[in-house]
Amino acid sequence: AMAAAAAGGEPVEPQSLKKLSLKSLKRSLDLFAPTHSLPFAPDAESKRIRVSCKVRAEYGAVKNLPTDQGRAQGKGAAAPSNALALLGTQDTKDAPREGTSNAIIPAPLMLPKAPESAVPGKNTTVLSIPGSSDRFSTSALMERLPSRWPKPVWHAPWKNYRVISGHLGWVRSIAFDPGNEWFCTGSADRTIKIWDLASGTLKLTLTGHIEQVRGLAVSQRHTYLFSAGDDKQVKCWDLEQNKVIRSYHGHLSGVYCLALHPTIDVLLTGGRDSVCRVWDIRTKAHVSALTGHDNTVCSVFARPTDPQVVTGSHDTTIKFWDLVAGKTMCTLTHHKKSVRAMALHPKEKSFASASADNIKKWSLPKGEFLHNMLSQQKTILNAMAVNEDGVLATAGDNGSMWFWDWKSGHNFQQEQTIVQPGSLESEACIYALSYDNSGSRLVTCEADKTIKMWKEDLTATPETHPVNFKPPKDIRRY
């Protein structure tokens, strides 16, 4: 009737759909309500299978005993017994038994023997099961296995041996000369200063930026120094003439990080415009813009093979980039806070990333998550570096610098920077750090306008500074 009404062009009354749905509900109720709370009819076959499974699980070990042992158990069956079958010899088999409730019945020789390496005086009583392997059946009596977590390598503690004061503002960035003779630092006083590594004396001051210098890199193949700053400028300095010879224009906001490609003449810069830009060093051409991050790109490093570019951002992600296609290869979303620092291991195919929530270790080239470092620094981490000996150093906003064993993730030393006299306590903050090319010196750049140099304490031994390591009980897989 409704269909006819619809065909005739008459309007369908609004109640009809509601009535139809109510009728449908009533029909369903009539169909299923009578059997709603009734149990299913028991199935004899499924009950038989369930009982046989239970019997096998409970009594499978003693179901098919040898005849002599069966008789022995039959005799003692009058008294209720918590019989514990022990591994024994033929002599103990016929030993006199009291009718006690905890009778111990020696098992015959055919049962599997316990390991011979039992320590004297140690209780090695185990329940033996015919046909089972040497692995024991009950977890309560199992030997606890040692942790498979790698043991940390012993490292000497690091100590501060020199404080250099020369900048007039926060020291924000650092880079080392490939020949390991000098290093340069960029500061909020808008200058770049070059220092002698051995003596710590000032060799040169470069001026040209109009905002703080956030990123520095020294070329391994040319006599070039590259700098980037909050003034949106990326500059190339010729160290033979000590002046700017090229500027790379294109960033829309401050430039926060800078890296050189190890094998090709390409410069990578990341900044507040959420883009990692690729520049041709020689022609100043803007090769490509690696877009995809949702927030400031604050850390970047380059490798000779894919992924050739890795960036970390305030949007909490790490991205691997295909430099040829200019596209993302992979995005790691494990961190919960900004990834302000990353460190590529000089020998292994792995890198670490630092965030306020955790320090995580990753494999390359696939970016598989390996593990977290075993402690939390609980501060904003601005910088990190690792040397060939596997000492990872991380520096925080509160002036803390922690040293880690790369292999195991064990934190073996915690240092707190001391501000220079006349500074505020709140200026205990480390903005950048880097090892020299030998890995034996560590240089930190700080908010109290100083540069501090660290080295290993050569008088320390494993006896004077033992490793206090407890392997983790639960291993986080994310």
Side-chain angles (χ1 to χ4, degrees):
M2 238 177 76
E10 294 173 20
V12 180
E13 57 174 311
Q15 290 292 321
S16 60
L17 284 174
K18 190 176 179 183
K19 280 179 185 173
L20 282 169
S21 59
L22 283 171
K23 276 182 186 173
S24 175
L25 280 171
K26 192 167 183 299
R27 218 173 280 127
S28 305
L29 188 70
D30 292 341
L31 192 63
F32 295 111
T35 58
H36 177 61
S37 57
L38 295 179
F40 287 108
D43 179 27
E45 181 62 18
S46 63
K47 186 178 178 183
R48 187 188 63 75
I49 292 169
R50 190 168 73 250
V51 170
S52 65
C53 285
K54 278 193 174 182
V55 166
R56 194 180 309 142
E58 292 285 336
Y59 307 110
V62 289
K63 207 171 174 185
N64 304 313
L65 285 174
T67 51
D68 55 346
Q69 195 186 358
R71 274 201 300 274
Q73 283 202 348
K75 285 176 190 171
S81 164
N82 301 329
L84 182 67
L86 290 182
L87 301 173
T89 59
Q90 196 67 29
D91 302 333
T92 59
K93 193 174 72 175
D94 299 318
R97 280 186 298 278
E98 302 297 328
T100 58
S101 62
N102 293 334
I104 294 178
I105 299 157
L109 280 171
M110 62 178 289
L111 298 181
K113 288 197 173 181
E116 297 296 333
S117 58
V119 181
K122 189 176 176 185
N123 185 10
T124 54
T125 306
V126 292
L127 188 67
S128 51
I129 299 173
S132 73
S133 64
D134 282 349
R135 286 184 60 201
F136 303 132
S137 61
T138 161
S139 58
L141 300 175
M142 275 178 70
E143 201 74 40
R144 187 176 286 278
L145 293 170
S147 172
R148 281 183 290 181
W149 196 269
K151 283 189 177 176
V153 181
W154 182 83
H155 300 285
W158 291 67
K159 61 178 185 180
N160 182 8
Y161 72 97
R162 181 181 290 148
V163 179
I164 303 170
S165 184
H167 277 293
L168 302 175
W170 294 347
V171 191
R172 299 298 308 240
S173 51
I174 182 167
F176 277 87
D177 154 47
N180 220 33
E181 293 177 7
W182 51 266
F183 66 94
C184 54
T185 54
S187 166
D189 64 9
R190 303 167 303 190
T191 64
I192 300 163
K193 290 185 186 286
I194 294 177
W195 311 85
D196 184 65
L197 181 60
S199 63
T201 54
L202 180 66
K203 297 177 82 166
L204 183 68
T205 302
L206 300 171
T207 57
H209 277 281
I210 55 173
E211 277 283 350
Q212 56 184 337
V213 182
R214 288 276 200 135
L216 286 172
V218 184
S219 173
Q220 300 215 350
R221 290 190 297 280
H222 313 287
T223 57
Y224 294 161
L225 164 69
F226 296 89
S227 65
D230 278 353
D231 51 9
K232 311 180 197 173
Q233 295 181 23
V234 181
K235 294 179 184 289
C236 172
W237 306 77
D238 188 340
L239 295 174
E240 288 178 337
Q241 306 169 52
N242 295 336
K243 67 178 186 182
V244 177
I245 56 166
R246 297 187 190 103
S247 287
Y248 304 90
H249 299 286
H251 272 285
L252 307 175
S253 193
V255 189
Y256 278 21
C257 56
L258 178 145
L260 282 166
H261 196 285
T263 53
I264 53 179
D265 286 343
V266 156
L267 175 68
L268 305 152
T269 55
R272 276 179 54 192
D273 53 8
S274 313
V275 178
C276 177
R277 297 185 188 273
V278 184
W279 310 90
D280 186 318
I281 288 173
R282 198 169 45 83
T283 64
K284 300 186 288 184
H286 182 238
V287 178
S288 66
L290 306 178
T291 56
H293 281 295
D294 298 332
N295 211 325
T296 305
V297 178
C298 48
S299 49
V300 61
F301 67 81
R303 316 171 53 239
T305 56
D306 278 334
Q308 295 181 54
V309 183
V310 180
T311 56
S313 166
H314 283 335
D315 66 8
T316 76
T317 64
I318 299 165
K319 285 185 184 286
F320 291 6
W321 299 92
D322 183 338
L323 195 56
V324 178
K327 291 180 181 173
T328 309
M329 291 171 69
C330 167
T331 304
L332 310 176
T333 57
H334 297 54
H335 279 292
K336 296 181 182 69
K337 301 282 183 184
S338 306
V339 185
R340 290 172 181 254
M342 296 189 296
L344 178 66
H345 194 282
K347 285 182 176 174
E348 290 181 18
K349 288 188 176 178
S350 57
F351 75 100
S353 59
S355 171
D357 61 344
N358 247 323
I359 300 164
K360 296 181 186 290
K361 209 165 99 182
W362 314 86
S363 72
L364 286 166
K366 291 187 178 177
E368 288 152 343
F369 173 65
L370 298 175
H371 63 88
N372 289 323
M373 294 293 160
L374 300 183
S375 314
Q376 281 183 300
Q377 204 161 335
K378 294 197 173 151
T379 182
I380 293 169
L381 296 175
N382 291 319
M384 69 192 310
V386 61
N387 67 5
E388 289 191 355
D389 296 335
V391 178
L392 176 72
T394 57
D397 242 16
N398 59 358
S400 64
M401 183 160 66
W402 287 19
F403 294 90
W404 313 77
D405 172 51
W406 178 266
K407 186 180 168 191
S408 66
H410 169 61
N411 170 230
F412 68 89
Q413 187 185 357
Q414 298 179 9
E415 285 293 329
Q416 183 66 33
T417 188
I418 301 164
V419 294
Q420 70 170 339
S423 302
L424 302 170
E425 280 299 315
S426 59
E427 288 183 317
C429 169
I430 303 171
Y431 283 119
L433 58 79
S434 179
Y435 286 100
D436 71 346
N437 292 327
S438 69
S440 62
R441 295 287 181 274
L442 180 65
V443 183
T444 59
C445 305
E446 310 199 2
D448 63 351
K449 306 172 189 172
T450 63
I451 298 154
K452 295 190 174 79
M453 300 179 77
W454 305 72
K455 65 180 177 183
E456 285 187 331
D457 185 357
L458 298 175
T459 60
T461 62
E463 286 72 38
T464 59
H465 293 78
V467 175
N468 181 21
F469 174 67
K470 286 181 183 172
K473 287 193 178 77
D474 54 332
I475 302 164
R476 282 178 60 181
R477 296 290 178 201
Y478 55 91

